[in-house]
Amino acid sequence: MTPQELRALCLSFNAAVEDFPFRPEISVFKVLGKMFALSWTDELPLKVNLKCDPDDAVRLRGEHSGLIAPGYHMNKRHWNTVTVDGELPDRLVRELVEDSYDLVVAGLPRAERLRLDRP
């Protein structure tokens, strides 16, 4: 997956936006103001921080040692840093991005979640 493909995936979700609050080469993807992905687009290999259920985070780190690690500069219980260099299947990366988005949406107030469901 290329940086452009990762960006397109993150922006494909309802109400997702890209922001650059830190530096121009650090993309932060948000839904209704809450971050669900952060990626260093100028570094190789490509890496992305994604929110994750704490139990799944530990399991994924064990299953994909060296490719999925505790979130860099994030709450290590709830965030993973995923290396997107072709060793992980793109399908898994897509699932992890979608799970991150879904977790953030689930944490939004009910009124905001309902607003997302409207066309």
Side-chain angles (χ1 to χ4, degrees):
M1 183 175 291
T2 67
Q4 296 79 13
E5 291 169 332
L6 178 63
R7 179 178 185 272
L9 173 62
C10 289
L11 292 175
S12 71
F13 298 104
N14 193 11
V17 297
E18 183 178 22
D19 193 12
F20 301 92
F22 307 114
R23 299 189 323 240
E25 55 280 343
I26 300 177
S27 292
V28 176
F29 299 94
K30 299 178 180 181
V31 55
L32 299 181
K34 301 291 184 180
M35 179 173 61
F36 69 92
L38 179 148
S39 181
W40 299 264
T41 56
D42 68 335
E43 292 185 14
L44 289 176
L46 178 62
K47 294 184 180 182
V48 60
N49 280 356
L50 299 169
K51 190 161 185 136
C52 193
D53 172 81
D55 293 331
D56 288 339
V58 171
R59 179 184 55 78
L60 287 163
R61 293 170 196 165
E63 290 175 1
H64 305 283
S65 181
L67 297 172
I68 299 179
Y72 179 71
H73 282 295
M74 307 294 278
N75 179 323
K76 311 245 183 281
R77 179 168 152 74
H78 295 277
W79 290 83
N80 277 339
T81 297
V82 178
T83 301
V84 185
D85 65 355
E87 285 194 50
L88 288 176
D90 284 353
R91 176 192 51 75
L92 176 59
V93 174
R94 283 191 295 274
E95 288 173 6
L96 295 174
V97 173
E98 184 176 352
D99 288 348
S100 181
Y101 174 87
D102 290 344
L103 281 169
V104 171
V105 168
L108 293 171
R110 184 174 184 272
E112 290 185 354
R113 287 194 316 268
L114 291 174
R115 198 172 79 202
L116 283 175
D117 290 337
R118 291 188 194 129

